Coordinates of all heavy atoms in Angstrom, one line a residue:
K14 N -6.0 3.8 -6.7 CA -5.7 2.9 -7.8 C -4.8 1.8 -7.4 O -3.6 2.1 -7.1 CB -5.2 3.7 -9.0 CG -5.0 2.9 -10.3 CD -4.5 3.7 -11.4 CE -4.2 2.8 -12.6 NZ -3.6 3.5 -13.8
D15 N -5.2 0.6 -7.4 CA -4.3 -0.5 -7.2 C -3.6 -0.9 -8.5 O -4.0 -0.5 -9.6 CB -5.1 -1.7 -6.6 CG -5.6 -1.5 -5.2 OD1 -5.0 -0.6 -4.5 OD2 -6.5 -2.2 -4.8
G16 N -2.6 -1.7 -8.4 CA -1.8 -2.1 -9.6 C -0.5 -2.6 -9.2 O -0.2 -2.8 -8.0
V17 N 0.4 -2.7 -10.2 CA 1.7 -3.2 -10.0 C 2.7 -2.0 -10.0 O 2.8 -1.3 -11.0 CB 2.1 -4.3 -11.0 CG1 3.6 -4.7 -10.7 CG2 1.2 -5.5 -10.9
G18 N 3.5 -1.8 -9.0 CA 4.5 -0.8 -8.9 C 4.0 0.6 -9.2 O 3.0 1.0 -8.5
T19 N 4.6 1.3 -10.1 CA 4.2 2.7 -10.4 C 2.9 2.8 -11.1 O 2.5 3.9 -11.4 CB 5.3 3.4 -11.1 OG1 5.7 2.7 -12.3 CG2 6.6 3.5 -10.2
A20 N 2.3 1.7 -11.5 CA 0.9 1.8 -12.0 C -0.1 2.0 -10.9 O -1.2 2.4 -11.2 CB 0.6 0.5 -12.8
A21 N 0.3 1.7 -9.7 CA -0.6 2.0 -8.5 C -0.4 3.5 -8.1 O 0.7 4.0 -8.3 CB -0.2 1.1 -7.4
I22 N -1.5 4.1 -7.6 CA -1.4 5.5 -7.2 C -1.9 5.6 -5.8 O -2.9 4.9 -5.4 CB -2.3 6.4 -8.2 CG1 -1.8 6.2 -9.6 CG2 -2.2 7.8 -7.8 CD1 -2.6 7.0 -10.6
T23 N -1.3 6.5 -5.1 CA -1.7 6.7 -3.7 C -1.7 8.2 -3.4 O -1.5 9.0 -4.3 CB -0.6 6.0 -2.8 OG1 -1.0 6.3 -1.4 CG2 0.8 6.6 -3.0
K24 N -2.1 8.6 -2.2 CA -2.1 10.0 -1.8 C -1.6 10.1 -0.3 O -2.2 9.5 0.6 CB -3.5 10.6 -1.9 CG -3.5 12.1 -1.5 CD -4.9 12.6 -1.6 CE -4.9 14.1 -1.3 NZ -6.3 14.7 -1.4
L25 N -0.5 10.8 -0.1 CA 0.1 11.0 1.2 C 0.3 9.7 1.9 O -0.1 9.5 3.1 CB -0.8 11.9 2.1 CG -1.0 13.3 1.5 CD1 -2.0 14.1 2.4 CD2 0.3 14.1 1.4
P26 N 1.1 8.8 1.3 CA 1.5 7.6 2.1 C 2.3 8.0 3.3 O 3.2 8.8 3.2 CB 2.3 6.8 1.0 CG 2.9 7.8 0.1 CD 1.8 8.9 0.0
T27 N 2.0 7.4 4.4 CA 2.6 7.9 5.7 C 3.2 6.8 6.5 O 4.5 6.8 6.6 CB 1.5 8.6 6.5 OG1 0.9 9.7 5.8 CG2 2.1 9.2 7.8
G28 N 2.5 5.8 7.0 CA 3.0 4.7 7.7 C 3.6 3.6 6.8 O 3.1 3.4 5.7
L29 N 4.6 2.9 7.3 CA 5.2 1.8 6.5 C 5.7 0.8 7.5 O 6.4 1.1 8.4 CB 6.3 2.4 5.7 CG 6.9 1.7 4.5 CD1 5.8 1.6 3.4 CD2 8.1 2.4 4.0
V30 N 5.3 -0.5 7.2 CA 5.7 -1.5 8.2 C 5.8 -2.9 7.4 O 5.1 -3.1 6.4 CB 4.7 -1.7 9.3 CG1 3.3 -2.1 8.9 CG2 5.2 -2.6 10.4
K31 N 6.7 -3.7 7.9 CA 6.9 -5.1 7.3 C 5.9 -6.0 8.0 O 5.8 -6.1 9.2 CB 8.3 -5.6 7.5 CG 8.6 -6.9 6.9 CD 10.1 -7.3 7.1 CE 10.4 -8.6 6.4 NZ 11.9 -8.9 6.7
A32 N 5.1 -6.7 7.2 CA 4.1 -7.6 7.7 C 4.7 -9.0 8.0 O 5.8 -9.3 7.5 CB 2.9 -7.8 6.7
P33 N 4.0 -9.8 8.8 CA 4.6 -11.1 9.1 C 4.8 -12.0 7.9 O 5.7 -12.9 8.0 CB 3.5 -11.7 10.0 CG 2.8 -10.6 10.7 CD 2.8 -9.5 9.6
D34 N 4.1 -11.8 6.8 CA 4.3 -12.6 5.6 C 5.3 -12.1 4.7 O 5.5 -12.6 3.6 CB 2.9 -12.8 4.9 CG 2.4 -11.5 4.3 OD1 3.0 -10.4 4.6 OD2 1.3 -11.5 3.7
G35 N 6.0 -11.0 5.1 CA 7.1 -10.4 4.3 C 6.6 -9.3 3.3 O 7.4 -8.7 2.7
S36 N 5.3 -9.1 3.2 CA 4.8 -8.0 2.4 C 5.0 -6.7 3.2 O 5.4 -6.7 4.4 CB 3.3 -8.2 2.1 OG 2.5 -8.2 3.3
I37 N 4.7 -5.6 2.6 CA 4.8 -4.3 3.2 C 3.5 -3.6 3.2 O 2.8 -3.6 2.2 CB 5.8 -3.4 2.4 CG1 7.2 -3.9 2.5 CG2 5.8 -1.9 3.0 CD1 8.2 -3.2 1.6
W38 N 3.0 -3.2 4.4 CA 1.8 -2.5 4.5 C 2.1 -1.0 4.7 O 3.1 -0.6 5.3 CB 1.0 -3.0 5.7 CG 0.4 -4.3 5.5 CD1 0.9 -5.3 4.8 CD2 -0.8 -4.8 6.2 NE1 0.0 -6.4 4.9 CE2 -1.0 -6.2 5.8 CE3 -1.7 -4.3 7.1 CZ2 -2.0 -7.0 6.2 CZ3 -2.7 -5.1 7.6 CH2 -2.9 -6.4 7.1
F39 N 1.2 -0.2 4.1 CA 1.3 1.3 4.3 C 0.0 1.9 4.5 O -1.1 1.4 4.1 CB 2.1 1.9 3.2 CG 1.4 2.0 1.8 CD1 0.7 3.2 1.5 CD2 1.5 1.0 0.9 CE1 0.0 3.2 0.2 CE2 0.8 1.0 -0.3 CZ 0.1 2.2 -0.6
T40 N 0.0 3.1 5.2 CA -1.2 3.8 5.4 C -1.3 4.9 4.4 O -0.4 5.7 4.1 CB -1.3 4.5 6.8 OG1 -0.1 5.2 7.0 CG2 -1.3 3.4 7.9
D41 N -2.5 5.0 3.7 CA -2.7 6.0 2.7 C -3.5 7.1 3.4 O -4.8 7.0 3.5 CB -3.5 5.4 1.5 CG -3.7 6.3 0.4 OD1 -3.8 7.5 0.6 OD2 -3.6 5.8 -0.8
R42 N -2.8 8.1 3.9 CA -3.5 9.1 4.7 C -4.5 9.9 3.9 O -5.5 10.4 4.4 CB -2.4 10.0 5.3 CG -3.0 11.1 6.2 CD -2.0 11.9 6.9 NE -0.7 12.0 6.5 CZ 0.0 13.2 6.3 NH1 -0.6 14.3 6.5 NH2 1.3 13.2 6.0
G43 N -4.2 10.1 2.6 CA -5.1 10.9 1.8 C -6.5 10.4 1.7 O -7.5 11.1 1.5
F44 N -6.6 9.0 1.7 CA -7.9 8.3 1.6 C -8.3 7.4 2.7 O -9.3 6.7 2.7 CB -7.9 7.5 0.3 CG -7.7 8.3 -1.0 CD1 -6.5 8.3 -1.7 CD2 -8.7 9.2 -1.4 CE1 -6.3 9.0 -2.8 CE2 -8.5 10.0 -2.6 CZ -7.4 9.9 -3.3
N45 N -7.5 7.5 3.8 CA -7.7 6.7 5.0 C -7.8 5.2 4.7 O -8.8 4.5 5.1 CB -9.0 7.2 5.7 CG -8.8 8.5 6.4 OD1 -7.8 8.7 7.1 ND2 -9.7 9.4 6.1
L46 N -6.8 4.7 3.9 CA -6.8 3.3 3.5 C -5.6 2.6 4.1 O -4.5 3.1 4.3 CB -6.8 3.2 2.0 CG -7.9 3.9 1.2 CD1 -7.6 3.8 -0.3 CD2 -9.2 3.3 1.5
I47 N -5.8 1.3 4.4 CA -4.7 0.4 4.7 C -4.4 -0.4 3.4 O -5.3 -1.0 2.8 CB -5.0 -0.6 5.8 CG1 -5.2 0.2 7.1 CG2 -3.8 -1.6 6.0 CD1 -5.7 -0.6 8.3
R48 N -3.1 -0.3 2.9 CA -2.8 -1.0 1.6 C -1.6 -1.9 1.8 O -0.8 -1.7 2.7 CB -2.6 0.1 0.6 CG -3.8 1.0 0.5 CD -3.6 2.2 -0.5 NE -3.8 1.7 -1.9 CZ -3.7 2.5 -3.0 NH1 -3.4 3.8 -2.8 NH2 -3.8 2.0 -4.2
R49 N -1.5 -2.8 0.9 CA -0.4 -3.8 1.0 C 0.4 -3.9 -0.3 O -0.2 -3.8 -1.4 CB -1.1 -5.2 1.2 CG -0.1 -6.4 1.2 CD -0.9 -7.7 1.4 NE -0.1 -8.9 1.6 CZ 0.4 -9.6 0.6 NH1 0.1 -9.3 -0.7 NH2 1.2 -10.7 0.8
I50 N 1.7 -4.0 -0.2 CA 2.6 -4.2 -1.3 C 3.2 -5.6 -1.2 O 3.9 -5.9 -0.3 CB 3.8 -3.2 -1.3 CG1 3.2 -1.7 -1.2 CG2 4.6 -3.3 -2.6 CD1 4.3 -0.7 -1.0
S51 N 2.9 -6.4 -2.2 CA 3.4 -7.8 -2.2 C 4.8 -7.8 -2.7 O 5.3 -6.8 -3.2 CB 2.5 -8.7 -3.1 OG 2.7 -8.2 -4.5
P52 N 5.6 -8.9 -2.6 CA 6.9 -8.9 -3.0 C 7.1 -8.6 -4.5 O 8.2 -8.2 -4.9 CB 7.4 -10.4 -2.7 CG 6.5 -10.7 -1.5 CD 5.2 -10.1 -1.8
D53 N 6.1 -8.9 -5.3 CA 6.2 -8.6 -6.8 C 5.7 -7.1 -7.0 O 5.5 -6.8 -8.2 CB 5.4 -9.6 -7.6 CG 3.9 -9.5 -7.4 OD1 3.5 -8.8 -6.5 OD2 3.2 -10.3 -8.1
L54 N 5.5 -6.3 -6.0 CA 5.1 -4.9 -6.0 C 3.7 -4.7 -6.4 O 3.3 -3.6 -6.8 CB 6.0 -4.1 -7.0 CG 7.5 -4.1 -6.6 CD1 8.3 -3.2 -7.5 CD2 7.7 -3.7 -5.2
T55 N 2.8 -5.7 -6.3 CA 1.4 -5.6 -6.5 C 0.8 -4.8 -5.3 O 0.9 -5.3 -4.2 CB 0.7 -6.9 -6.7 OG1 1.2 -7.5 -7.9 CG2 -0.8 -6.7 -6.9
V56 N 0.1 -3.7 -5.6 CA -0.5 -2.9 -4.5 C -2.0 -3.3 -4.4 O -2.7 -3.2 -5.4 CB -0.3 -1.4 -4.7 CG1 -1.0 -0.6 -3.7 CG2 1.2 -1.1 -4.8
T57 N -2.4 -3.7 -3.2 CA -3.8 -4.0 -3.0 C -4.4 -3.2 -1.8 O -3.7 -3.1 -0.8 CB -3.9 -5.5 -2.6 OG1 -3.3 -6.3 -3.6 CG2 -5.4 -5.9 -2.5
T58 N -5.6 -2.7 -2.0 CA -6.2 -2.0 -0.9 C -6.9 -3.0 0.0 O -7.8 -3.8 -0.5 CB -7.2 -1.0 -1.4 OG1 -6.5 0.0 -2.2 CG2 -8.0 -0.3 -0.3
L59 N -6.6 -3.0 1.3 CA -7.1 -3.9 2.2 C -8.4 -3.4 2.9 O -9.3 -4.2 3.1 CB -6.1 -4.3 3.3 CG -4.8 -4.9 2.7 CD1 -3.8 -5.2 3.9 CD2 -5.1 -6.2 2.0

């Protein structure tokens, strides 16, 4: 579930890294997804 902040839901977030554009990317191990957190905390599945 994408969304803003705690409205977004994940499962077993594992990896975490700062992207070149200043956003944060994380690996959602539970669903094998690469996801992005924007500076306003909007979570998007990539």
Side-chain angles (χ1 to χ4, degrees):
K14 182 182 177 182
D15 290 343
V17 179
T19 54
I22 302 177
T23 180
K24 182 182 181 182
L25 298 175
T27 302
L29 199 65
V30 65
K31 186 177 181 179
D34 64 358
S36 64
I37 296 171
W38 287 28
F39 70 95
T40 55
D41 189 324
R42 180 171 23 127
F44 297 109
N45 291 311
L46 304 175
I47 298 172
R48 305 177 75 179
R49 177 183 185 270
I50 307 172
S51 66
D53 67 356
L54 300 185
T55 298
V56 177
T57 306
T58 298
L59 300 176

